[in-house]
Amino acid sequence: MIWPTPWLCTDMQQWTATNAVPLRRLTATLRNGAQLTWFNADDEKAMVACALDGDVEPVGSVVWPAGVAAISALERLSNARRGGLRGLSILELGAGTGLTALAAAKFGARVIATDASELCLRLLRAARDANPDLSFAVEKLDFSDAAAVEALVRARGPFDLVVACDTFYSTPLAKATAGAVAASRATARLVLDPCRPTRSQFVDQLKRLEAASWDGGADVAFRPLPIDAGAVRFDGDASDEQFSFDGAYAAGFGQL
């Protein structure tokens, strides 16, 4: 899979180019044979136009390695619990295409998939509509807006697990991720980051906010996460590659 070069936008104009981006319908297969229908943006030039038209960080409109790493981690959690993830409520920040959230829902969880990008929200809604058997809800959320995060937690919480995959594109976003993770008041956290230079900003901010008093303990550390690429296959890909993703902050899993 080819990962495109990310771009950044800050303006909050609306929709015109976003609605014009064609979506491609795709299939992913979990190790247990369950199939997920998901979508990504089919035209990179149109995605750039979408960004220039003011969409917020539409980098989530493709699947990144952190998403695959999260699916592998969720599979292990599902296998460790009797009944898989049934009974768990999961909040994903910056859900992008929704593939990680779809996998969590297929493992049995109730999932709230959030994003601020209008393009990503289109992808998430398309994924929700294509998988009507799953407990998969979509909410627009700019997780840098503390009041909006608090409102969502009051309305849709409590959450057992909060997930964030590769959201540290800038220092403000790294700090905002920490703020949203803390505000979620989830029992457990799974945050994945491909060694971006802003990782330390997330760690420091989370420690400042509440790590010392959180039930999961004060240790906010990213560690290599062994990944089994066979946890999810894309459109017939038969790879069984094993690799290590650097890194993952996983805490509170023993309480789930």
Side-chain angles (χ1 to χ4, degrees):
M1 185 173 294
I2 298 174
W3 318 111
T5 301
W7 51 83
L8 300 177
C9 308
T10 57
D11 226 347
M12 277 294 288
Q13 301 165 12
Q14 291 291 325
W15 285 69
T16 306
T18 300
N19 285 344
V21 177
L23 304 187
R24 179 168 51 167
R25 185 184 182 102
L26 298 164
T27 300
T29 305
L30 301 179
R31 190 194 312 277
N32 62 10
Q35 290 196 325
L36 304 172
T37 299
W38 63 290
F39 298 81
N40 71 3
D42 198 33
D43 184 334
E44 191 163 328
K45 289 183 179 179
M47 290 163 66
V48 174
C50 171
L52 294 175
D53 196 46
D55 197 7
V56 179
E57 311 285 3
V59 295
S61 56
V62 293
V63 173
W64 295 84
V68 177
I71 291 171
S72 184
L74 290 168
E75 179 192 48
R76 282 198 294 274
L77 175 62
S78 178
N79 291 341
R81 298 180 77 249
R82 181 176 297 177
L85 301 188
R86 282 192 293 276
L88 297 185
S89 178
I90 295 178
L91 170 67
E92 184 173 10
L93 306 170
T97 66
L99 187 59
T100 298
L102 285 171
K106 186 62 88 171
F107 293 140
R110 302 183 306 277
V111 181
I112 308 292
T114 70
D115 213 292
S117 161
E118 293 295 344
L119 176 55
C120 291
L121 288 166
R122 276 188 68 204
L123 299 174
L124 290 170
R125 290 168 184 143
R128 175 198 62 198
D129 295 345
N131 299 272
D133 58 316
L134 301 183
S135 180
F136 181 91
V138 177
E139 295 279 355
K140 182 172 183 176
L141 177 67
D142 177 356
F143 63 74
S144 67
D145 182 341
V149 174
E150 289 284 356
L152 178 68
V153 172
R154 285 196 302 270
R156 305 302 295 266
F159 297 106
D160 298 294
L161 173 65
V162 60
V163 177
C165 298
D166 197 359
T167 59
F168 304 167
Y169 286 105
S170 65
T171 293
L173 282 176
K175 290 183 174 181
T177 303
V181 166
S184 74
R185 297 189 285 277
T187 302
R189 296 110 178 258
L190 177 63
V191 181
L192 294 110
D193 166 58
C195 214
R196 295 192 183 277
T198 50
R199 181 189 292 178
S200 62
Q201 302 297 320
F202 167 87
V203 172
D204 292 345
Q205 182 75 351
L206 188 55
K207 285 182 175 180
R208 278 195 294 268
L209 287 171
E210 52 78 70
S213 61
W214 180 59
D215 289 342
D219 180 25
V220 183
F222 283 80
R223 297 181 175 86
L225 180 69
I227 301 303
D228 179 356
V232 58
R233 301 180 189 277
F234 296 94
D235 290 333
D237 176 23
S239 171
D240 287 317
E241 179 185 3
Q242 307 284 324
F243 63 97
S244 181
F245 182 85
D246 183 7
Y249 164 49
F253 275 43
Q255 301 177 53
L256 297 178

